[in-house]
Amino acid sequence: MARVAVLERRSGWRSLWLRTLLLLQLLRWGYALGALPFGSSRHPGFTDLLSEQQLLEVQDLTLSLLQGGGLGPLSLLPPDLPDLEPECRELLMDFANSSAELTGCLVRSARPVRLCQTCYPLFQQVASKMDNINRNIANSSESPNCARSLLMADRMQIVLTVSEFFSTTWQEANCANCLTNDSEALSNNTEYFLSLFNKTLACFEHNLQGRTYNLLSPKNYSEVCKNCNDAYKNLSTLYNELQKMNGLENKAEPGTHLCIDVEDAMNITRKLWSRTFNCSVTCSDTVSVVAVSVFILFLPVVFYLSSFLHSEQKKRKLILPKRLKSSTSFANIQENST
């Protein structure tokens, strides 16, 4: 009851101050325009109406006073109107500021993709602010329930929607595959991959400096292909190893990829290497590869030739049975006797 009485007294004083300030402001403007009988009538055309600019100032003043511009929030509204407690409002402002910082980081890091390596501290900060909202401020029963006020007070549930958006974006980017187990820093493999990626790009840039090309002839990037071959091979090998370590080399389902930073970096490098520079990875065992290919091609010829040479071509021989021989000889004897 004492708290209600204090709130009512504060509301009365706020209402009195607001009315007094508005009256003084209107009196000042009325006197300036000659709208009041004791003022000068230098502007007889505006004796009944204020200018548009002054009306806007009145509206801004009223809104600022109602929203807590020095007099506290909702000063003219009844005390039983639901409003946020100071503790809950502070939590809401902290979440809003953290969300704004994370949103800006995500947009700035969208191209080229640097979401996980740049924005993971801000994501952890937003998650911490959301945990503070979900957690009770105090153990006493009189503590305000900020989770219910901020997350479940209306149909839109803006705070919860924003938090879910950040979580979904983080999961689809697979940033956990680039961070340590506690998500407090980049993993060693990710840092090593990014260092090789930067070295490869530096090699590309170094071998392109000071070169001029004829616009009518195709560009020749032979020096880039030659001098940066080792750097590109090391980067590609490490990327394949990271895929094997995570068991992701033959999967295309969502959530089964490396983090978006690593994937985008590898895609950029491969496009530069194959499309822009038109390079190909040279094979050091060219002779052995050619020899094996020729041997495989001649296997059918060798097989059929050996089959022809080692097969026995025998003539067909007619073997008469013994019974047939005896009958034939008996017929010859009869012929001779006759």
Side-chain angles (χ1 to χ4, degrees):
M1 295 298 294
R3 183 178 180 182
V4 173
V6 171
L7 291 177
E8 290 179 353
R9 287 198 298 271
R10 290 181 179 176
S11 177
W13 279 107
R14 291 172 181 173
S15 176
L16 179 60
W17 272 106
L18 177 61
R19 293 174 183 176
T20 304
L21 289 176
L22 290 177
L23 180 59
L24 291 176
Q25 186 69 12
L26 290 174
L27 287 174
R28 184 173 64 83
W29 283 331
Y31 178 79
L33 294 175
L36 297 176
F38 51 81
S40 61
S41 59
R42 290 177 297 173
H43 304 284
F46 297 93
T47 56
D48 296 327
L49 297 175
L50 295 175
S51 65
E52 181 180 359
Q53 180 64 28
Q54 290 170 340
L55 287 175
L56 292 176
E57 292 179 2
V58 172
Q59 293 176 359
D60 293 341
L61 176 61
T62 305
L63 290 176
S64 64
L65 292 174
L66 290 176
Q67 294 175 357
L71 299 179
L74 305 175
S75 58
L76 293 181
L77 296 177
D80 57 346
L81 186 73
D83 190 20
L84 286 178
E85 296 291 337
E87 297 88 345
C88 300
R89 183 170 296 277
E90 183 179 357
L91 290 176
L92 180 61
M93 291 300 101
D94 291 342
F95 180 80
N97 295 332
S98 301
S99 299
E101 294 179 1
L102 179 57
T103 302
C105 181
L106 293 177
V107 175
R108 290 190 299 269
S109 305
R111 187 79 287 176
V113 181
R114 299 293 185 270
L115 301 182
C116 304
Q117 56 185 302
T118 306
C119 304
Y120 72 89
L122 296 177
F123 178 79
Q124 296 297 327
Q125 182 177 353
V126 170
S128 176
K129 301 300 181 182
M130 191 64 185
D131 291 339
N132 292 337
I133 293 176
N134 290 321
R135 196 166 49 238
N136 291 330
I137 296 179
N139 295 328
S140 61
S141 59
E142 298 180 356
S143 63
N145 192 340
C146 297
R148 180 176 300 174
S149 301
L150 298 177
L151 305 180
M152 299 177 291
D154 55 82
R155 178 176 58 86
M156 292 296 296
Q157 300 179 357
I158 299 299
V159 176
L160 187 60
T161 302
V162 173
S163 177
E164 290 178 352
F165 166 75
F166 289 140
S167 299
T168 302
T169 302
W170 205 251
Q171 291 176 2
E172 291 181 354
N174 295 299
C175 290
N177 291 333
C178 281
L179 304 176
T180 56
N181 294 331
D182 55 1
S183 298
E184 295 293 336
L186 294 176
S187 62
N188 295 332
N189 292 330
T190 303
E191 291 182 350
Y192 183 49
F193 177 87
L194 293 177
S195 64
L196 290 182
F197 171 70
N198 293 329
K199 290 181 181 179
T200 304
L201 293 185
C203 182
F204 292 165
E205 184 178 3
H206 176 73
N207 287 273
L208 290 175
Q209 290 178 352
R211 295 185 58 84
T212 57
Y213 301 96
N214 187 3
L215 297 178
L216 299 179
S217 61
K219 296 182 179 181
N220 183 14
Y221 297 107
S222 58
E223 291 187 3
V224 177
C225 301
K226 178 181 178 181
N227 298 331
C228 302
N229 182 50
D230 293 338
Y232 177 79
K233 285 178 61 177
N234 294 334
L235 182 66
S236 181
T237 301
L238 178 60
Y239 180 79
N240 295 331
E241 290 179 356
L242 292 178
Q243 282 189 318
K244 292 180 179 179
M245 288 174 58
N246 293 275
L248 310 175
E249 67 274 12
N250 296 322
K251 297 182 180 180
E253 297 83 4
T256 58
H257 300 275
L258 295 174
C259 72
I260 189 64
D261 294 22
V262 173
E263 289 185 343
D264 185 72
M266 195 67 230
N267 289 337
I268 290 175
T269 310
R270 286 174 174 173
K271 288 180 181 178
L272 289 174
W273 184 260
S274 60
R275 297 182 183 180
T276 304
F277 303 142
N278 196 20
C279 300
S280 59
V281 180
T282 57
C283 183
S284 58
D285 299 330
T286 306
V287 178
S288 60
V289 171
V290 172
V292 172
S293 301
V294 172
F295 175 74
I296 293 175
L297 290 176
F298 278 94
L299 274 180
V301 178
V302 174
F303 173 76
Y304 287 111
L305 183 61
S306 60
S307 298
F308 177 78
L309 294 177
H310 294 284
S311 62
E312 295 181 359
Q313 300 294 330
K314 298 182 178 180
K315 297 181 179 180
R316 295 183 179 179
K317 298 180 180 179
L318 182 60
I319 302 176
L320 297 177
K322 297 181 179 180
R323 185 179 300 175
L324 183 59
K325 289 182 178 181
S326 60
S327 60
T328 304
S329 59
F330 178 74
N332 292 333
I333 294 171
Q334 288 183 348
E335 289 180 357
N336 293 329
S337 61
T338 54

